[in-house]
Amino acid sequence: MTEDRIINKRERRELTNISEPTWWRYERAGLVPRRVQLTRGRVGYRLREILAWLESRQPA
C-alpha cells in the first residue's frame, strides 16, 4: 500500500474505525485530517495524513 494516494470514505472508516458522523464532527473541530474534494460529489483523504494522524494518537 503506497502512502501517497487518496483513499475513499470506506477505506478511511476501516483504518480509523470512526463513524462518518463522528468523523464529520472531528473534522469540523479541526481534530482530524481534512477531506480532499475530488469531484463535485466525491471526496477522499490523503492516506499519508490519515496514517500520520493514527500514529500521533498511539500512546508513547
Side-chain angles (χ1 to χ4, degrees):
M1 171 166 49
T2 177
E3 291 183 20
D4 197 26
R5 71 180 180 96
I6 302 294
I7 60 173
N8 61 30
K9 287 181 182 182
R10 180 187 52 79
E11 291 173 295
R12 191 266 313 146
R13 196 169 38 251
E14 288 174 0
L15 285 170
T16 63
N17 201 30
I18 297 174
S19 71
E20 193 64 29
T22 300
W23 185 269
W24 186 78
R25 283 194 311 273
Y26 288 175
E27 188 176 49
R28 293 216 25 179
L31 302 174
V32 295
R34 296 201 52 95
R35 65 185 75 197
V36 176
Q37 193 74 42
L38 302 174
T39 64
R40 183 177 171 110
R42 187 169 176 225
V43 298
Y45 301 88
R46 289 182 181 89
L47 178 58
R48 69 178 177 271
E49 291 179 5
I50 297 294
L51 294 175
W53 178 78
L54 286 169
E55 189 173 315
S56 74
R57 294 177 45 91
Q58 296 296 320

